[in-house]
PDB file of all heavy atoms in Angstrom:
ATOM      1  N   THR A 159      96.678 112.529  93.607  1.00 97.00           N
ATOM      2  CA  THR A 159      95.436 112.204  94.310  1.00 97.00           C
ATOM      3  C   THR A 159      94.293 113.085  93.809  1.00 97.00           C
ATOM      4  O   THR A 159      94.500 114.232  93.395  1.00 97.00           O
ATOM      5  CB  THR A 159      95.579 112.395  95.827  1.00 97.00           C
ATOM      6  OG1 THR A 159      95.717 113.795  96.137  1.00 97.00           O
ATOM      7  CG2 THR A 159      96.779 111.632  96.358  1.00 97.00           C
ATOM      8  N   PHE A 160      93.076 112.537  93.894  1.00 98.00           N
ATOM      9  CA  PHE A 160      91.873 113.271  93.539  1.00 98.00           C
ATOM     10  C   PHE A 160      91.113 113.685  94.800  1.00 98.00           C
ATOM     11  O   PHE A 160      91.375 113.173  95.894  1.00 98.00           O
ATOM     12  CB  PHE A 160      90.972 112.399  92.658  1.00 98.00           C
ATOM     13  CG  PHE A 160      91.489 112.198  91.262  1.00 98.00           C
ATOM     14  CD1 PHE A 160      91.665 110.922  90.745  1.00 98.00           C
ATOM     15  CD2 PHE A 160      91.796 113.278  90.459  1.00 98.00           C
ATOM     16  CE1 PHE A 160      92.139 110.724  89.459  1.00 98.00           C
ATOM     17  CE2 PHE A 160      92.275 113.102  89.167  1.00 98.00           C
ATOM     18  CZ  PHE A 160      92.446 111.825  88.663  1.00 98.00           C
ATOM     19  N   PRO A 161      90.148 114.604  94.674  1.00 98.00           N
ATOM     20  CA  PRO A 161      89.395 115.052  95.849  1.00 98.00           C
ATOM     21  C   PRO A 161      88.648 113.902  96.516  1.00 98.00           C
ATOM     22  O   PRO A 161      87.870 113.195  95.876  1.00 98.00           O
ATOM     23  CB  PRO A 161      88.422 116.084  95.273  1.00 98.00           C
ATOM     24  CG  PRO A 161      89.060 116.544  94.010  1.00 98.00           C
ATOM     25  CD  PRO A 161      89.784 115.366  93.461  1.00 98.00           C
ATOM     26  N   ALA A 162      88.858 113.748  97.816  1.00 98.00           N
ATOM     27  CA  ALA A 162      88.199 112.659  98.548  1.00 98.00           C
ATOM     28  C   ALA A 162      86.690 112.850  98.607  1.00 98.00           C
ATOM     29  O   ALA A 162      85.952 111.881  98.801  1.00 98.00           O
ATOM     30  CB  ALA A 162      88.783 112.555  99.958  1.00 98.00           C
ATOM     31  N   ALA A 163      86.231 114.074  98.434  1.00 97.00           N
ATOM     32  CA  ALA A 163      84.789 114.324  98.446  1.00 97.00           C
ATOM     33  C   ALA A 163      84.067 113.602  97.319  1.00 97.00           C
ATOM     34  O   ALA A 163      82.841 113.445  97.355  1.00 97.00           O
ATOM     35  CB  ALA A 163      84.515 115.826  98.363  1.00 97.00           C
ATOM     36  N   LEU A 164      84.790 113.129  96.308  1.00 98.00           N
ATOM     37  CA  LEU A 164      84.175 112.454  95.164  1.00 98.00           C
ATOM     38  C   LEU A 164      84.003 110.954  95.383  1.00 98.00           C
ATOM     39  O   LEU A 164      83.386 110.278  94.551  1.00 98.00           O
ATOM     40  CB  LEU A 164      85.032 112.663  93.912  1.00 98.00           C
ATOM     41  CG  LEU A 164      85.325 114.107  93.492  1.00 98.00           C
ATOM     42  CD1 LEU A 164      86.248 114.112  92.284  1.00 98.00           C
ATOM     43  CD2 LEU A 164      84.036 114.864  93.197  1.00 98.00           C
ATOM     44  N   MET A 165      84.556 110.408  96.455  1.00 98.00           N
ATOM     45  CA  MET A 165      84.623 108.955  96.604  1.00 98.00           C
ATOM     46  C   MET A 165      83.261 108.277  96.518  1.00 98.00           C
ATOM     47  O   MET A 165      83.094 107.270  95.817  1.00 98.00           O
ATOM     48  CB  MET A 165      85.304 108.590  97.926  1.00 98.00           C
ATOM     49  CG  MET A 165      86.796 108.869  97.948  1.00 98.00           C
ATOM     50  SD  MET A 165      87.514 108.683  99.602  1.00 98.00           S
ATOM     51  CE  MET A 165      87.198 106.945  99.911  1.00 98.00           C
ATOM     52  N   ALA A 166      82.286 108.799  97.250  1.00 98.00           N
ATOM     53  CA  ALA A 166      80.974 108.148  97.271  1.00 98.00           C
ATOM     54  C   ALA A 166      80.376 108.083  95.875  1.00 98.00           C
ATOM     55  O   ALA A 166      79.859 107.040  95.444  1.00 98.00           O
ATOM     56  CB  ALA A 166      80.036 108.886  98.226  1.00 98.00           C
ATOM     57  N   GLU A 167      80.446 109.188  95.150  1.00 98.00           N
ATOM     58  CA  GLU A 167      79.865 109.215  93.807  1.00 98.00           C
ATOM     59  C   GLU A 167      80.659 108.343  92.836  1.00 98.00           C
ATOM     60  O   GLU A 167      80.089 107.769  91.898  1.00 98.00           O
ATOM     61  CB  GLU A 167      79.796 110.660  93.307  1.00 98.00           C
ATOM     62  CG  GLU A 167      78.834 110.851  92.152  1.00 98.00           C
ATOM     63  CD  GLU A 167      78.573 112.304  91.811  1.00 98.00           C
ATOM     64  OE1 GLU A 167      78.967 113.189  92.608  1.00 98.00           O
ATOM     65  OE2 GLU A 167      77.980 112.560  90.742  1.00 98.00           O
ATOM     66  N   GLU A 168      81.975 108.242  93.047  1.00 98.00           N
ATOM     67  CA  GLU A 168      82.780 107.357  92.201  1.00 98.00           C
ATOM     68  C   GLU A 168      82.397 105.896  92.415  1.00 98.00           C
ATOM     69  O   GLU A 168      82.477 105.076  91.497  1.00 98.00           O
ATOM     70  CB  GLU A 168      84.277 107.559  92.490  1.00 98.00           C
ATOM     71  CG  GLU A 168      84.846 108.884  92.012  1.00 98.00           C
ATOM     72  CD  GLU A 168      85.113 108.911  90.512  1.00 98.00           C
ATOM     73  OE1 GLU A 168      84.670 107.990  89.799  1.00 98.00           O
ATOM     74  OE2 GLU A 168      85.771 109.873  90.050  1.00 98.00           O
ATOM     75  N   ILE A 169      81.975 105.550  93.616  1.00 98.00           N
ATOM     76  CA  ILE A 169      81.548 104.176  93.903  1.00 98.00           C
ATOM     77  C   ILE A 169      80.179 103.886  93.296  1.00 98.00           C
ATOM     78  O   ILE A 169      79.927 102.798  92.765  1.00 98.00           O
ATOM     79  CB  ILE A 169      81.515 103.929  95.429  1.00 98.00           C
ATOM     80  CG1 ILE A 169      82.935 104.013  96.021  1.00 98.00           C
ATOM     81  CG2 ILE A 169      80.899 102.569  95.756  1.00 98.00           C
ATOM     82  CD1 ILE A 169      82.965 104.008  97.542  1.00 98.00           C
ATOM     83  N   THR A 170      79.283 104.854  93.348  1.00 98.00           N
ATOM     84  CA  THR A 170      77.892 104.600  92.967  1.00 98.00           C
ATOM     85  C   THR A 170      77.581 104.903  91.504  1.00 98.00           C
ATOM     86  O   THR A 170      76.505 104.539  91.024  1.00 98.00           O
ATOM     87  CB  THR A 170      76.939 105.431  93.853  1.00 98.00           C
ATOM     88  OG1 THR A 170      77.251 106.824  93.702  1.00 98.00           O
ATOM     89  CG2 THR A 170      77.077 105.036  95.315  1.00 98.00           C
ATOM     90  N   THR A 171      78.482 105.579  90.791  1.00 98.00           N
ATOM     91  CA  THR A 171      78.208 105.952  89.404  1.00 98.00           C
ATOM     92  C   THR A 171      78.743 104.886  88.457  1.00 98.00           C
ATOM     93  O   THR A 171      79.955 104.688  88.358  1.00 98.00           O
ATOM     94  CB  THR A 171      78.858 107.309  89.063  1.00 98.00           C
ATOM     95  OG1 THR A 171      78.376 108.304  89.977  1.00 98.00           O
ATOM     96  CG2 THR A 171      78.529 107.716  87.642  1.00 98.00           C
ATOM     97  N   PRO A 172      77.878 104.179  87.728  1.00 97.00           N
ATOM     98  CA  PRO A 172      78.342 103.117  86.812  1.00 97.00           C
ATOM     99  C   PRO A 172      79.141 103.689  85.654  1.00 97.00           C
ATOM    100  O   PRO A 172      79.091 104.882  85.350  1.00 97.00           O
ATOM    101  CB  PRO A 172      77.026 102.484  86.320  1.00 97.00           C
ATOM    102  CG  PRO A 172      75.964 102.976  87.242  1.00 97.00           C
ATOM    103  CD  PRO A 172      76.419 104.302  87.744  1.00 97.00           C
ATOM    104  N   GLY A 173      79.871 102.805  85.007  1.00 96.00           N
ATOM    105  CA  GLY A 173      80.620 103.195  83.818  1.00 96.00           C
ATOM    106  C   GLY A 173      82.073 102.801  83.911  1.00 96.00           C
ATOM    107  O   GLY A 173      82.537 102.272  84.937  1.00 96.00           O
ATOM    108  N   THR A 174      82.801 103.045  82.851  1.00 95.00           N
ATOM    109  CA  THR A 174      84.227 102.742  82.819  1.00 95.00           C
ATOM    110  C   THR A 174      84.949 103.511  83.919  1.00 95.00           C
ATOM    111  O   THR A 174      84.758 104.717  84.061  1.00 95.00           O
ATOM    112  CB  THR A 174      84.831 103.120  81.461  1.00 95.00           C
ATOM    113  OG1 THR A 174      84.137 102.424  80.429  1.00 95.00           O
ATOM    114  CG2 THR A 174      86.314 102.776  81.406  1.00 95.00           C
ATOM    115  N   GLY A 175      85.755 102.798  84.689  1.00 96.00           N
ATOM    116  CA  GLY A 175      86.491 103.438  85.770  1.00 96.00           C
ATOM    117  C   GLY A 175      85.730 103.543  87.061  1.00 96.00           C
ATOM    118  O   GLY A 175      86.201 104.198  87.997  1.00 96.00           O
ATOM    119  N   GLN A 176      84.556 102.902  87.163  1.00 97.00           N
ATOM    120  CA  GLN A 176      83.815 102.931  88.425  1.00 97.00           C
ATOM    121  C   GLN A 176      84.661 102.307  89.526  1.00 97.00           C
ATOM    122  O   GLN A 176      85.294 101.268  89.348  1.00 97.00           O
ATOM    123  CB  GLN A 176      82.498 102.162  88.284  1.00 97.00           C
ATOM    124  CG  GLN A 176      81.652 102.169  89.561  1.00 97.00           C
ATOM    125  CD  GLN A 176      80.348 101.387  89.395  1.00 97.00           C
ATOM    126  OE1 GLN A 176      80.116 100.757  88.347  1.00 97.00           O
ATOM    127  NE2 GLN A 176      79.496 101.398  90.400  1.00 97.00           N
ATOM    128  N   LEU A 177      84.682 102.948  90.685  1.00 98.00           N
ATOM    129  CA  LEU A 177      85.465 102.462  91.820  1.00 98.00           C
ATOM    130  C   LEU A 177      84.801 101.222  92.413  1.00 98.00           C
ATOM    131  O   LEU A 177      83.680 101.287  92.929  1.00 98.00           O
ATOM    132  CB  LEU A 177      85.582 103.568  92.874  1.00 98.00           C
ATOM    133  CG  LEU A 177      86.349 103.248  94.156  1.00 98.00           C
ATOM    134  CD1 LEU A 177      87.750 102.741  93.855  1.00 98.00           C
ATOM    135  CD2 LEU A 177      86.409 104.478  95.064  1.00 98.00           C
ATOM    136  N   ARG A 178      85.501 100.072  92.337  1.00 98.00           N
ATOM    137  CA  ARG A 178      84.935  98.803  92.792  1.00 98.00           C
ATOM    138  C   ARG A 178      85.739  98.156  93.911  1.00 98.00           C
ATOM    139  O   ARG A 178      85.212  97.349  94.678  1.00 98.00           O
ATOM    140  CB  ARG A 178      84.871  97.802  91.618  1.00 98.00           C
ATOM    141  CG  ARG A 178      84.168  98.290  90.386  1.00 98.00           C
ATOM    142  CD  ARG A 178      82.705  98.530  90.594  1.00 98.00           C
ATOM    143  NE  ARG A 178      82.033  97.430  91.271  1.00 98.00           N
ATOM    144  CZ  ARG A 178      80.710  97.231  91.263  1.00 98.00           C
ATOM    145  NH1 ARG A 178      79.947  98.056  90.589  1.00 98.00           N
ATOM    146  NH2 ARG A 178      80.182  96.219  91.897  1.00 98.00           N
ATOM    147  N   THR A 179      87.024  98.471  94.002  1.00 98.00           N
ATOM    148  CA  THR A 179      87.901  97.897  95.025  1.00 98.00           C
ATOM    149  C   THR A 179      88.587  99.041  95.746  1.00 98.00           C
ATOM    150  O   THR A 179      89.216  99.890  95.109  1.00 98.00           O
ATOM    151  CB  THR A 179      88.960  96.974  94.383  1.00 98.00           C
ATOM    152  OG1 THR A 179      88.300  95.887  93.738  1.00 98.00           O
ATOM    153  CG2 THR A 179      89.929  96.445  95.421  1.00 98.00           C
ATOM    154  N   LEU A 180      88.475  99.077  97.067  1.00 98.00           N
ATOM    155  CA  LEU A 180      88.989 100.216  97.823  1.00 98.00           C
ATOM    156  C   LEU A 180      89.821  99.748  99.008  1.00 98.00           C
ATOM    157  O   LEU A 180      89.421  98.863  99.763  1.00 98.00           O
ATOM    158  CB  LEU A 180      87.830 101.086  98.324  1.00 98.00           C
ATOM    159  CG  LEU A 180      88.208 102.295  99.195  1.00 98.00           C
ATOM    160  CD1 LEU A 180      89.034 103.307  98.391  1.00 98.00           C
ATOM    161  CD2 LEU A 180      86.956 102.953  99.769  1.00 98.00           C
ATOM    162  N   PHE A 181      90.990 100.384  99.165  1.00 98.00           N
ATOM    163  CA  PHE A 181      91.824 100.232 100.348  1.00 98.00           C
ATOM    164  C   PHE A 181      91.838 101.572 101.088  1.00 98.00           C
ATOM    165  O   PHE A 181      91.938 102.632 100.455  1.00 98.00           O
ATOM    166  CB  PHE A 181      93.254  99.844  99.966  1.00 98.00           C
ATOM    167  CG  PHE A 181      93.377  98.470  99.361  1.00 98.00           C
ATOM    168  CD1 PHE A 181      93.092  98.263  98.015  1.00 98.00           C
ATOM    169  CD2 PHE A 181      93.770  97.391 100.138  1.00 98.00           C
ATOM    170  CE1 PHE A 181      93.204  97.009  97.443  1.00 98.00           C
ATOM    171  CE2 PHE A 181      93.884  96.125  99.574  1.00 98.00           C
ATOM    172  CZ  PHE A 181      93.602  95.925  98.230  1.00 98.00           C
ATOM    173  N   VAL A 182      91.750 101.521 102.397  1.00 98.00           N
ATOM    174  CA  VAL A 182      91.838 102.723 103.227  1.00 98.00           C
ATOM    175  C   VAL A 182      92.897 102.470 104.282  1.00 98.00           C
ATOM    176  O   VAL A 182      92.811 101.488 105.025  1.00 98.00           O
ATOM    177  CB  VAL A 182      90.495 103.068 103.901  1.00 98.00           C
ATOM    178  CG1 VAL A 182      90.668 104.209 104.895  1.00 98.00           C
ATOM    179  CG2 VAL A 182      89.443 103.438 102.859  1.00 98.00           C
ATOM    180  N   SER A 183      93.904 103.337 104.349  1.00 98.00           N
ATOM    181  CA  SER A 183      94.954 103.176 105.355  1.00 98.00           C
ATOM    182  C   SER A 183      95.067 104.437 106.203  1.00 98.00           C
ATOM    183  O   SER A 183      95.064 105.547 105.677  1.00 98.00           O
ATOM    184  CB  SER A 183      96.296 102.847 104.696  1.00 98.00           C
ATOM    185  OG  SER A 183      96.685 103.833 103.768  1.00 98.00           O
ATOM    186  N   ALA A 184      95.121 104.227 107.518  1.00 96.00           N
ATOM    187  CA  ALA A 184      95.322 105.322 108.476  1.00 96.00           C
ATOM    188  C   ALA A 184      94.330 106.457 108.252  1.00 96.00           C
ATOM    189  O   ALA A 184      94.683 107.630 108.346  1.00 96.00           O
ATOM    190  CB  ALA A 184      96.751 105.842 108.396  1.00 96.00           C
ATOM    191  N   GLY A 185      93.096 106.113 107.956  1.00 95.00           N
ATOM    192  CA  GLY A 185      92.121 107.152 107.679  1.00 95.00           C
ATOM    193  C   GLY A 185      90.716 106.743 108.075  1.00 95.00           C
ATOM    194  O   GLY A 185      90.396 105.559 108.203  1.00 95.00           O
ATOM    195  N   ASN A 186      89.864 107.758 108.238  1.00 94.00           N
ATOM    196  CA  ASN A 186      88.471 107.560 108.613  1.00 94.00           C
ATOM    197  C   ASN A 186      87.617 108.536 107.800  1.00 94.00           C
ATOM    198  O   ASN A 186      87.035 109.470 108.340  1.00 94.00           O
ATOM    199  CB  ASN A 186      88.301 107.808 110.119  1.00 94.00           C
ATOM    200  CG  ASN A 186      86.946 107.384 110.646  1.00 94.00           C
ATOM    201  OD1 ASN A 186      86.113 106.851 109.914  1.00 94.00           O
ATOM    202  ND2 ASN A 186      86.710 107.621 111.924  1.00 94.00           N
ATOM    203  N   PRO A 187      87.552 108.353 106.470  1.00 96.00           N
ATOM    204  CA  PRO A 187      86.906 109.359 105.621  1.00 96.00           C
ATOM    205  C   PRO A 187      85.425 109.559 105.902  1.00 96.00           C
ATOM    206  O   PRO A 187      84.884 110.613 105.540  1.00 96.00           O
ATOM    207  CB  PRO A 187      87.150 108.836 104.201  1.00 96.00           C
ATOM    208  CG  PRO A 187      87.465 107.379 104.352  1.00 96.00           C
ATOM    209  CD  PRO A 187      88.140 107.259 105.684  1.00 96.00           C
ATOM    210  N   VAL A 188      84.750 108.614 106.531  1.00 95.00           N
ATOM    211  CA  VAL A 188      83.346 108.836 106.881  1.00 95.00           C
ATOM    212  C   VAL A 188      83.214 110.057 107.786  1.00 95.00           C
ATOM    213  O   VAL A 188      82.223 110.784 107.720  1.00 95.00           O
ATOM    214  CB  VAL A 188      82.745 107.580 107.547  1.00 95.00           C
ATOM    215  CG1 VAL A 188      81.459 107.890 108.288  1.00 95.00           C
ATOM    216  CG2 VAL A 188      82.478 106.511 106.483  1.00 95.00           C
ATOM    217  N   LEU A 189      84.252 110.311 108.613  1.00 92.00           N
ATOM    218  CA  LEU A 189      84.230 111.504 109.457  1.00 92.00           C
ATOM    219  C   LEU A 189      84.967 112.681 108.828  1.00 92.00           C
ATOM    220  O   LEU A 189      84.581 113.831 109.018  1.00 92.00           O
ATOM    221  CB  LEU A 189      84.862 111.206 110.824  1.00 92.00           C
ATOM    222  CG  LEU A 189      84.068 110.346 111.793  1.00 92.00           C
ATOM    223  CD1 LEU A 189      84.719 110.381 113.173  1.00 92.00           C
ATOM    224  CD2 LEU A 189      82.624 110.815 111.904  1.00 92.00           C
ATOM    225  N   SER A 190      86.052 112.424 108.103  1.00 92.00           N
ATOM    226  CA  SER A 190      86.906 113.526 107.675  1.00 92.00           C
ATOM    227  C   SER A 190      86.541 114.104 106.318  1.00 92.00           C
ATOM    228  O   SER A 190      87.047 115.163 105.948  1.00 92.00           O
ATOM    229  CB  SER A 190      88.371 113.075 107.653  1.00 92.00           C
ATOM    230  OG  SER A 190      88.557 111.995 106.768  1.00 92.00           O
ATOM    231  N   VAL A 191      85.674 113.444 105.574  1.00 95.00           N
ATOM    232  CA  VAL A 191      85.255 113.925 104.258  1.00 95.00           C
ATOM    233  C   VAL A 191      83.834 114.479 104.380  1.00 95.00           C
ATOM    234  O   VAL A 191      83.023 113.946 105.140  1.00 95.00           O
ATOM    235  CB  VAL A 191      85.308 112.773 103.226  1.00 95.00           C
ATOM    236  CG1 VAL A 191      84.706 113.186 101.897  1.00 95.00           C
ATOM    237  CG2 VAL A 191      86.758 112.334 103.034  1.00 95.00           C
ATOM    238  N   PRO A 192      83.504 115.558 103.683  1.00 95.00           N
ATOM    239  CA  PRO A 192      82.132 116.063 103.741  1.00 95.00           C
ATOM    240  C   PRO A 192      81.102 114.988 103.399  1.00 95.00           C
ATOM    241  O   PRO A 192      81.360 114.087 102.598  1.00 95.00           O
ATOM    242  CB  PRO A 192      82.127 117.173 102.681  1.00 95.00           C
ATOM    243  CG  PRO A 192      83.540 117.638 102.625  1.00 95.00           C
ATOM    244  CD  PRO A 192      84.371 116.413 102.858  1.00 95.00           C
ATOM    245  N   ASN A 193      79.947 115.085 104.042  1.00 92.00           N
ATOM    246  CA  ASN A 193      78.795 114.215 103.766  1.00 92.00           C
ATOM    247  C   ASN A 193      79.158 112.745 103.927  1.00 92.00           C
ATOM    248  O   ASN A 193      79.024 111.942 102.993  1.00 92.00           O
ATOM    249  CB  ASN A 193      78.233 114.488 102.360  1.00 92.00           C
ATOM    250  CG  ASN A 193      76.881 113.843 102.150  1.00 92.00           C
ATOM    251  OD1 ASN A 193      76.274 113.289 103.083  1.00 92.00           O
ATOM    252  ND2 ASN A 193      76.393 113.876 100.924  1.00 92.00           N
ATOM    253  N   GLY A 194      79.627 112.385 105.117  1.00 94.00           N
ATOM    254  CA  GLY A 194      79.978 111.001 105.394  1.00 94.00           C
ATOM    255  C   GLY A 194      78.815 110.040 105.239  1.00 94.00           C
ATOM    256  O   GLY A 194      79.019 108.846 104.988  1.00 94.00           O
ATOM    257  N   ARG A 195      77.601 110.544 105.354  1.00 94.00           N
ATOM    258  CA  ARG A 195      76.425 109.668 105.197  1.00 94.00           C
ATOM    259  C   ARG A 195      76.398 109.040 103.810  1.00 94.00           C
ATOM    260  O   ARG A 195      76.079 107.853 103.654  1.00 94.00           O
ATOM    261  CB  ARG A 195      75.133 110.468 105.430  1.00 94.00           C
ATOM    262  CG  ARG A 195      74.960 111.013 106.826  1.00 94.00           C
ATOM    263  CD  ARG A 195      73.623 111.717 106.988  1.00 94.00           C
ATOM    264  NE  ARG A 195      73.451 112.781 105.992  1.00 94.00           N
ATOM    265  CZ  ARG A 195      73.893 114.020 106.144  1.00 94.00           C
ATOM    266  NH1 ARG A 195      74.565 114.350 107.235  1.00 94.00           N
ATOM    267  NH2 ARG A 195      73.674 114.931 105.214  1.00 94.00           N
ATOM    268  N   ALA A 196      76.731 109.844 102.803  1.00 96.00           N
ATOM    269  CA  ALA A 196      76.729 109.320 101.434  1.00 96.00           C
ATOM    270  C   ALA A 196      77.785 108.233 101.274  1.00 96.00           C
ATOM    271  O   ALA A 196      77.556 107.232 100.574  1.00 96.00           O
ATOM    272  CB  ALA A 196      76.984 110.455 100.439  1.00 96.00           C
ATOM    273  N   LEU A 197      78.920 108.391 101.924  1.00 97.00           N
ATOM    274  CA  LEU A 197      79.969 107.381 101.828  1.00 97.00           C
ATOM    275  C   LEU A 197      79.553 106.098 102.536  1.00 97.00           C
ATOM    276  O   LEU A 197      79.792 104.992 102.030  1.00 97.00           O
ATOM    277  CB  LEU A 197      81.271 107.926 102.418  1.00 97.00           C
ATOM    278  CG  LEU A 197      82.519 107.076 102.203  1.00 97.00           C
ATOM    279  CD1 LEU A 197      82.757 106.804 100.719  1.00 97.00           C
ATOM    280  CD2 LEU A 197      83.744 107.766 102.803  1.00 97.00           C
ATOM    281  N   VAL A 198      78.913 106.224 103.682  1.00 96.00           N
ATOM    282  CA  VAL A 198      78.414 105.036 104.391  1.00 96.00           C
ATOM    283  C   VAL A 198      77.441 104.260 103.513  1.00 96.00           C
ATOM    284  O   VAL A 198      77.472 103.021 103.456  1.00 96.00           O
ATOM    285  CB  VAL A 198      77.739 105.447 105.722  1.00 96.00           C
ATOM    286  CG1 VAL A 198      76.959 104.277 106.319  1.00 96.00           C
ATOM    287  CG2 VAL A 198      78.781 105.943 106.711  1.00 96.00           C
ATOM    288  N   GLU A 199      76.587 104.975 102.806  1.00 97.00           N
ATOM    289  CA  GLU A 199      75.620 104.311 101.927  1.00 97.00           C
ATOM    290  C   GLU A 199      76.294 103.677 100.718  1.00 97.00           C
ATOM    291  O   GLU A 199      75.824 102.668 100.188  1.00 97.00           O
ATOM    292  CB  GLU A 199      74.566 105.323 101.472  1.00 97.00           C
ATOM    293  CG  GLU A 199      73.677 105.828 102.615  1.00 97.00           C
ATOM    294  CD  GLU A 199      72.817 107.008 102.200  1.00 97.00           C
ATOM    295  OE1 GLU A 199      72.929 107.439 101.017  1.00 97.00           O
ATOM    296  OE2 GLU A 199      72.066 107.531 103.051  1.00 97.00           O
ATOM    297  N   ALA A 200      77.434 104.246 100.286  1.00 98.00           N
ATOM    298  CA  ALA A 200      78.098 103.748  99.077  1.00 98.00           C
ATOM    299  C   ALA A 200      79.002 102.553  99.350  1.00 98.00           C
ATOM    300  O   ALA A 200      79.150 101.672  98.489  1.00 98.00           O
ATOM    301  CB  ALA A 200      78.921 104.876  98.443  1.00 98.00           C
ATOM    302  N   LEU A 201      79.636 102.487 100.516  1.00 98.00           N
ATOM    303  CA  LEU A 201      80.653 101.469 100.778  1.00 98.00           C
ATOM    304  C   LEU A 201      80.172 100.030 100.581  1.00 98.00           C
ATOM    305  O   LEU A 201      80.935  99.192 100.067  1.00 98.00           O
ATOM    306  CB  LEU A 201      81.220 101.653 102.196  1.00 98.00           C
ATOM    307  CG  LEU A 201      82.092 102.894 102.406  1.00 98.00           C
ATOM    308  CD1 LEU A 201      82.434 103.061 103.889  1.00 98.00           C
ATOM    309  CD2 LEU A 201      83.350 102.828 101.563  1.00 98.00           C
ATOM    310  N   PRO A 202      78.935  99.680 100.963  1.00 97.00           N
ATOM    311  CA  PRO A 202      78.503  98.293 100.740  1.00 97.00           C
ATOM    312  C   PRO A 202      78.466  97.884  99.269  1.00 97.00           C
ATOM    313  O   PRO A 202      78.433  96.685  98.960  1.00 97.00           O
ATOM    314  CB  PRO A 202      77.097  98.258 101.357  1.00 97.00           C
ATOM    315  CG  PRO A 202      77.094  99.352 102.374  1.00 97.00           C
ATOM    316  CD  PRO A 202      77.942 100.425 101.766  1.00 97.00           C
ATOM    317  N   GLY A 203      78.495  98.829  98.344  1.00 97.00           N
ATOM    318  CA  GLY A 203      78.465  98.495  96.927  1.00 97.00           C
ATOM    319  C   GLY A 203      79.811  98.079  96.360  1.00 97.00           C
ATOM    320  O   GLY A 203      79.893  97.681  95.188  1.00 97.00           O
ATOM    321  N   LEU A 204      80.883  98.156  97.160  1.00 98.00           N
ATOM    322  CA  LEU A 204      82.207  97.761  96.690  1.00 98.00           C
ATOM    323  C   LEU A 204      82.315  96.246  96.571  1.00 98.00           C
ATOM    324  O   LEU A 204      81.717  95.501  97.347  1.00 98.00           O
ATOM    325  CB  LEU A 204      83.276  98.267  97.660  1.00 98.00           C
ATOM    326  CG  LEU A 204      83.489  99.783  97.713  1.00 98.00           C
ATOM    327  CD1 LEU A 204      84.301 100.166  98.939  1.00 98.00           C
ATOM    328  CD2 LEU A 204      84.183 100.275  96.436  1.00 98.00           C
ATOM    329  N   ASP A 205      83.125  95.794  95.622  1.00 98.00           N
ATOM    330  CA  ASP A 205      83.415  94.363  95.509  1.00 98.00           C
ATOM    331  C   ASP A 205      84.398  93.915  96.583  1.00 98.00           C
ATOM    332  O   ASP A 205      84.345  92.774  97.052  1.00 98.00           O
ATOM    333  CB  ASP A 205      84.014  94.051  94.133  1.00 98.00           C
ATOM    334  CG  ASP A 205      83.037  94.310  93.005  1.00 98.00           C
ATOM    335  OD1 ASP A 205      81.810  94.266  93.259  1.00 98.00           O
ATOM    336  OD2 ASP A 205      83.493  94.571  91.873  1.00 98.00           O
ATOM    337  N   LEU A 206      85.306  94.805  96.963  1.00 98.00           N
ATOM    338  CA  LEU A 206      86.304  94.499  97.985  1.00 98.00           C
ATOM    339  C   LEU A 206      86.666  95.792  98.695  1.00 98.00           C
ATOM    340  O   LEU A 206      86.953  96.806  98.054  1.00 98.00           O
ATOM    341  CB  LEU A 206      87.567  93.885  97.361  1.00 98.00           C
ATOM    342  CG  LEU A 206      88.745  93.618  98.314  1.00 98.00           C
ATOM    343  CD1 LEU A 206      88.374  92.566  99.359  1.00 98.00           C
ATOM    344  CD2 LEU A 206      89.986  93.185  97.532  1.00 98.00           C
TER     345      LEU A 206
END
């Protein structure tokens, strides 16, 4: 696993390997990861 703090930037940063499809199980990273605001802003950019 990689640091969850990187998720928002992985979604919003273009390029090879950009995070486009995300599954979340038994978790609420908007609260449990630093700077949940950035993740809230990034999530709508996912394809799925």
